[in-house]
Amino acid sequence: MTETFVIVGGGLAGAKAAETLREDGFAGKIVLIAAEDELPYERPPLSKGYLLGSDPREGAYVHPREFYGEREIELLTGVAATAVDTAEHRVGLADGRDLNYDRLLIATGAQPRRPPIPGIDLDGVHTLRTLADSETLHATFERGGTVVVIGAGWIGCEVAAAARTLGAEVALVEQAATPLHAVLGPELGGWFGELHASHGVRVITGAGVERIAGDGRVQAVHVGDDAIECDAVIIGVGVAPDTKLGEAAGLEIDNGIVTDEHLRTSVPDVFAAGDVANAFHPYYGRRVRVEHWANALNQGPVAARSMLGGTEPYDKLPYFFTDQYDVGMEYIGLHGPDDRVVVRGSLTDTDFQVLWVDADDHVTAGMHVNQWDTIEEIERVIRAGEPVRG
Ligand code: FAD
């Protein structure tokens, strides 16, 4: 009998898994279920080229529409999976349909966090996750005026850069002492803060937002004693893994859907990949959940091969990139909060390298700014475990 593999989640992880199933010779039925009424797409352009208006919409698609038809991948868009019966091997859809599966991949991604700030539901307060969000923000920034970005993580910093580039006045508000403090620490975070300030962004750090004021529509953001008048607010305070379907399926959940190194969940024939998966990582000897593009790109295929019975572990080091103004940056590895920072070059320049080194002098992570083609060497140094002094 023909087997049916169902993939829930029309993001990068889901689309790459469907592609890999066919590439690796699976001849059964593949159904890809996507809640958004869009072809599966990649999200990095949404805060960069597509937000700026320099890249076309199609550039974000993982594949053109005909790709799915040619490979007999049944793509159901605009419909969410709402229920899973793992005993009966069935998935229920929001429109009442019910599908059987032999193997199921959950790649439902993540959703922006909405902190309990008074006024967050006013018109003009946005988050950025979808193509539609990016289009709304592009139109907002082009109108000019003042935008307040709450949260100076990756998305907040990229949105601030795009808004500024499109001519809006921008205030970037961050609770921590610097932008990107939690991910890069004070020294590098301070460097990014200066980058934004040098482009005319008002960078406000060490300050929490008390409320967003307005009368139906946003008018000001209150930070301490200051009320920043504004036309729009973008909330960029991180994402939470979208575990609703995993919970409905009764899977083990702990900061995402828990999987082993083959991306198998706690229930037979059910797999997870991408932002939603908290996967055991053989290199680190513990579970790691990664909310980055390369993780979705590479976990999708590994999950597909596991669905086909393969035993390949997912052991890629976490990797991330960002573009802000004329700065391109890549980061690889995973550093601890107490690792020391070794700068190769000077933070007064716009190109340098940084390594994070642990108490045993081993490099745990590294990044570069505008030094393309160096990330493989940084990865080699991390994996080699060679001690670094300095
Ligand atoms: P997603 O892309 O979130 O896709 C999951 C899909 O599943 C969604 O479309 C969702 O609607 C759908 N879904 C959820 N539940 C259901 C359901 N029950 N039924 C059907 N469908 C469902 N990473 C980087 O490394 N570098 C960057 O520069 C970068 N820039 C980014 C910019 C933006 C604006 C955003 C939002 C993210 C960025 N990322 C970046 C992160 C990267 O895009 C994510 O890690 C990646 O999108 C994760 O892919 P995914 O397939 O796991 O999940």
Side-chain angles (χ1 to χ4, degrees), residues 8-14 33-36 41 43-44 46-48 79-82 107-111 128-129 155 158 242 245 273-276 291-294 296 319-322:
V8 180
L12 182 58
I33 302 166
E36 292 179 64
Y41 61 91
R43 296 181 199 274
L46 276 47
S47 53
K48 307 178 187 64
V79 64
T82 48
T108 46
Q111 291 295 332
L128 173 56
R129 185 74 190 175
I155 297 291
E158 290 186 358
D242 191 340
L245 197 68
D275 280 11
V276 78
E291 295 164 353
H292 297 327
W293 169 88
Y319 162 89
F320 174 79
F321 68 94
T322 183

Side-chain angles (χ1 to χ4, degrees), residues 18-310:
E19 174 187 342
T20 305
L21 287 174
R22 278 290 178 254
E23 256 178 17
D24 285 24
F26 178 63
K29 186 171 165 176
I30 303 173
V31 186
L32 177 53
I33 302 166
E36 292 179 64
D37 203 5
E38 300 278 1
L39 289 174
Y41 61 91
E42 306 188 15
R43 296 181 199 274
L46 276 47
S47 53
K48 307 178 187 64
Y50 189 57
L51 179 57
L52 286 167
S54 52
D55 292 352
R57 201 171 205 276
E58 305 77 58
Y61 295 147
V62 183
H63 299 297
R65 182 170 298 281
E66 45 296 358
F67 178 91
Y68 301 94
E70 284 163 7
R71 283 159 187 78
E72 294 186 46
I73 296 166
E74 203 178 316
L75 177 60
L76 307 181
T77 58
V79 64
T82 48
V84 181
D85 182 333
T86 55
E88 295 293 324
H89 279 60
R90 297 194 77 78
V91 179
L93 306 190
D95 61 8
R97 273 180 288 180
D98 199 25
L99 309 172
N100 83 291
Y101 69 82
D102 292 284
R103 305 259 198 286
L104 172 67
L105 172 63
I106 300 184
T108 46
Q111 291 295 332
R113 291 184 194 274
R114 289 179 69 81
I117 302 171
I120 194 167
D121 293 325
L122 288 166
D123 282 351
V125 180
H126 308 277
T127 53
L128 173 56
R129 185 74 190 175
T130 65
L131 276 167
D133 295 338
S134 182
E135 285 155 11
T136 302
L137 291 187
H138 177 80
T140 303
F141 298 161
E142 273 207 323
R143 279 197 295 275
T146 299
V147 303
V148 176
V149 181
I150 299 176
W154 295 117
I155 297 291
C157 284
E158 290 186 358
V159 165
R164 199 65 202 109
T165 305
L166 288 173
E169 296 297 321
V170 181
L172 179 58
V173 185
E174 168 57 51
Q175 219 163 22
T178 69
L180 297 164
H181 198 271
V183 277
L184 295 182
E187 215 171 349
L188 273 302
W191 186 88
F192 272 96
E194 279 167 29
L195 173 74
H196 282 274
S198 73
H199 283 83
V201 173
R202 183 176 167 202
V203 181
I204 304 166
T205 54
V209 170
E210 267 145 42
R211 68 190 174 96
I212 304 169
D215 183 9
R217 197 175 166 79
V218 61
Q219 289 169 337
V221 172
H222 288 254
V223 183
D225 294 335
D226 200 4
I228 309 165
E229 286 184 19
C230 61
D231 304 283
V233 173
I234 296 91
I235 310 276
V237 298
V239 294
D242 191 340
T243 54
K244 286 192 292 296
L245 197 68
E247 286 163 36
L251 308 181
E252 185 185 350
I253 308 286
D254 178 11
N255 178 32
I257 297 175
V258 171
T259 78
D260 66 8
E261 66 265 47
H262 309 293
L263 306 176
R264 295 183 297 218
T265 71
S266 55
V267 170
D269 300 327
V270 185
F271 302 76
D275 280 11
V276 78
N278 189 6
F280 182 82
H281 198 296
Y283 181 82
Y284 295 108
R286 63 183 169 88
R287 290 198 294 257
V288 178
R289 191 174 67 78
V290 180
E291 295 164 353
H292 297 327
W293 169 88
N295 181 68
L297 179 79
N298 295 312
Q299 277 195 347
V302 171
R305 289 195 273 274
S306 289
M307 292 167 89
L308 292 168

